[in-house]
């Protein structure tokens, strides 16, 4: 039986460097060799555990060092010794204890929900309002500067039954983007193709370049210019017939309110790492839906642990209708950290029904990939 008065007795952290299979270029930066994440474990009086992941990117949300320090130094005193059932109160204090660090706060809420679910014997989606879907369509991003390598990946995706891809654009020439779209449309006409600039376009000429991309009729075009160019986003939106989505322009509900008021987008990428948690991510999606806008489940550079948290959020949020990007555990990491395979296949992610997030990390993998780690209770 779930006892909400049970106390949290320890908070453990690992900063991990996880090898990846290739370089990936985006409009705002590149990733190669490894990604770095922070894994959080909470332990209760009964010995139950709950895990969460902070998946930052220094050019987007923040650094792994910042997430680690936020959890270890600033958030820890407000968690250890508190009751497992006091999630809302803990998250409110954590929000005020350190500015920004949304990934750290997402990791904390994921771990609290995982812990509650494991103690109560219910999945996280049940704690978020109930499951609206059993599976989520999977999108895989195409971002290798070596397009021949991506063509091989596209062949693999077709064999695996993946029907959605998102082409990362704006990191090389406009001609390179057009060439890739032409080849993808010609060779895989059945694919649902989305396009994401990740803020890669300069202000000059942005509208014309987006219009060229819109001629290929992608399902949507995402964040062509820098996050703060709200006026230009609105101008681009009015110049094309393809839906325009916001990503970096919208972190949490506060940004969503402004995006709606200023008409910068037709939809939004919902990421728990941006919004600072699963419940705030749900709020963003519901605000978008109430304004007649669409939403899909984006990701950062994540392991299967963060994918699990995102899958539970989307399962309990019917307003997120455009699928998810939880592909990295299967298609980008050389090895995931989960003790069991992340549940994706046949072009979908299957939402786990087990207690908490459904799958635990492998302790040996945490130890193997750790750059640093710490485990303790309240004090140093």
């Amino acid at each position: 039986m779930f006892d909400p008065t049970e106390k949290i007795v320890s908070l453990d952290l690992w900063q991990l460097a996880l090898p990846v299979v290739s370089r990936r270029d985006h409009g705002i930066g590149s990733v190669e060799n490894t990604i770095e994440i922070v894994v959080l474990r909470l332990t209760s009086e009964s010995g139950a555990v709950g895990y969460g992941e902070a998946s930052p990117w220094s050019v987007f949300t923040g650094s792994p060092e910042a997430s680690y320090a936020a959890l270890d130094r600033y958030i820890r005193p407000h968690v250890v010794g508190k009751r497992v059932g006091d999630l809302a109160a803990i998250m409110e204090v954590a929000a005020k204890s350190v500015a920004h660090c949304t990934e750290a706060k997402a990791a904390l809420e994921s771990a609290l929900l995982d812990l509650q679910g494991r103690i109560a014997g219910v999945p996280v989606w049940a704690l978020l309002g109930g499951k609206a879907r059993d599976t989520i369509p999977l999108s895989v991003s195409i971002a290798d500067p070596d397009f021949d390598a991506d063509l091989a990946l596209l062949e693999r995706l077709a064999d695996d039954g993946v029907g959605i891809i998102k082409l990362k654009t704006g990191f090389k020439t406009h001609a390179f983007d057009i060439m890739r779209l032409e080849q993808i449309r010609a060779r895989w006409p059945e694919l649902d193709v989305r396009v994401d600039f990740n803020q890669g376009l300069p202000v000059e000429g942005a509208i014309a370049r987006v219009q060229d991309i819109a001629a290929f009729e992608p399902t949507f075009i995402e964040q062509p210019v820098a996050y703060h160019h709200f006026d230009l986003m609105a101008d681009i939106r009015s110049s094309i017939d393809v839906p325009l989505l916001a990503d970096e322009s919208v972190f949490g509900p506060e940004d969503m309110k402004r995006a709606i008021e200023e008409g910068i987008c037709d939809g939004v990428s919902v990421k728990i790492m941006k919004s600072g948690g699963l419940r705030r991510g749900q709020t963003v999606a519901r605000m978008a839906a109430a304004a007649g806008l669409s939403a899909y489940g984006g990701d950062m550079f994540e392991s299967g642990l963060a994918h699990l948290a995102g899958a539970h959020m989307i399962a309990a949020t019917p307003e997120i209708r455009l699928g998810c990007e939880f592909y990295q555990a299967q298609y980008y990491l050389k090895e995931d950290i989960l003790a069991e395979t992340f549940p994706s296949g046949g072009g979908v992610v299957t939402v786990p029904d087990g207690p908490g997030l459904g799958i635990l990390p492998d302790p040996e993998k945490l130890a193997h990939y750790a750059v640093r780690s710490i485990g303790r209770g309240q004090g140093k």
Side-chain angles (χ1 to χ4, degrees):
M1 177 179 290
F2 178 55
D3 179 5
T5 67
E6 188 175 337
K7 299 291 182 64
I8 298 167
V9 296
S10 68
L11 186 158
D12 305 316
L13 294 172
W14 295 261
Q15 182 178 332
L16 308 180
L18 303 178
V20 297
V21 299
S22 67
R23 177 181 169 122
R24 292 178 57 84
D25 284 1
H26 297 66
I28 54 172
S30 301
V31 173
E32 58 183 333
N33 301 321
T34 61
I35 62 169
E36 291 196 34
I37 64 172
V38 175
V39 172
L40 161 68
R41 180 178 67 195
L42 300 177
T43 305
S44 71
E45 290 176 297
S46 66
V49 296
Y51 284 87
E53 175 180 331
S55 315
W57 188 20
S58 60
V59 299
F60 189 166
T61 57
S63 69
E65 294 82 5
S67 291
Y68 193 96
L71 289 163
D72 184 34
R73 179 175 177 181
Y74 299 102
I75 292 176
R76 177 189 300 277
H78 306 293
V79 176
V80 177
K82 299 300 186 293
R83 299 184 302 184
V84 171
D86 289 341
L87 181 147
I90 293 171
M91 292 305 300
E92 182 179 19
V93 174
K96 298 175 180 177
S97 66
V98 59
H100 310 300
C101 296
T102 54
E103 319 93 310
K105 294 162 189 175
L108 173 63
E109 187 177 58
S110 298
L112 287 167
L113 287 166
D114 189 28
L115 182 58
Q116 286 187 358
R118 292 185 184 280
I119 293 173
V122 300
V124 164
W125 54 254
L127 302 174
L128 295 173
K131 187 165 62 171
R133 52 175 66 88
D134 294 316
T135 61
I136 308 166
L138 177 65
S139 172
V140 176
S141 292
I142 303 298
D144 197 320
D146 178 359
F147 187 49
D148 288 338
D150 268 341
L151 290 174
L153 174 59
L154 283 160
E155 293 283 3
R156 178 186 172 191
L157 297 176
D159 291 342
D160 290 350
V162 174
I164 307 172
I165 65 155
K166 190 162 77 170
L167 184 68
K168 298 291 187 174
T169 52
F171 61 83
K172 276 191 175 182
T173 66
H174 189 48
F176 180 68
D177 294 339
I178 296 296
M179 177 273 292
R180 291 186 297 156
L181 277 168
E182 288 175 341
Q183 290 206 32
I184 291 169
R185 281 299 196 205
R187 296 175 64 170
W188 295 279
E190 72 285 356
L191 276 179
D192 177 339
V193 178
R194 295 103 182 261
V195 171
D196 185 3
F197 282 95
N198 284 112
Q199 309 179 85
L201 293 184
V203 170
E204 299 79 13
I207 291 178
R209 290 178 67 171
V210 174
Q211 287 174 333
D212 287 348
I213 298 298
F216 288 89
E217 299 182 337
T219 301
F220 60 72
I221 297 173
E222 186 175 346
Q223 197 70 47
V225 293
Y227 70 93
H228 57 276
H229 288 313
F230 271 50
D231 288 345
L232 183 53
M233 286 283 288
D235 289 343
I236 292 172
R237 181 191 184 196
S238 66
S239 75
I240 58 176
D241 294 328
V242 172
L244 184 70
L245 265 68
D247 182 4
E248 289 91 340
S249 290
V250 176
F251 269 55
E254 304 82 4
D255 296 326
M256 191 71 249
K257 180 177 184 294
R258 181 185 174 195
I260 292 168
E261 291 173 346
E262 299 190 22
I264 73 163
C265 59
D266 299 289
V268 63
S269 165
V270 180
K271 302 177 181 179
I272 65 173
M273 298 301 155
K274 289 192 306 176
S275 58
L278 289 73
R279 295 174 306 140
R280 279 173 58 85
Q282 288 184 301
T283 299
V284 170
R286 288 165 182 161
M287 290 174 68
L293 309 181
S294 61
Y296 81 102
D299 72 346
M300 299 296 290
F301 290 101
E302 300 177 356
S303 81
L305 180 59
H307 288 349
L308 287 172
H312 281 272
M313 179 194 69
I314 295 173
T317 314
E319 294 85 357
I320 301 177
R321 302 183 186 280
L322 294 176
C324 71
E325 294 179 353
F326 306 145
Y327 65 91
Q328 298 187 44
Q330 181 176 359
Y331 292 106
Y332 192 50
L333 295 179
K334 287 186 177 179
E335 182 179 42
D336 190 27
I337 65 170
L338 294 179
E340 302 171 28
T341 303
F342 178 74
S344 65
V348 300
V349 170
T350 300
V351 181
D353 287 327
L357 293 175
I359 306 174
L360 291 167
D362 184 332
E364 293 185 2
K365 293 177 182 177
L366 296 181
H368 177 71
Y369 291 113
V371 176
R372 56 175 171 166
S373 62
I374 193 165
R376 61 173 186 256
Q378 180 73 32
K380 294 186 178 181

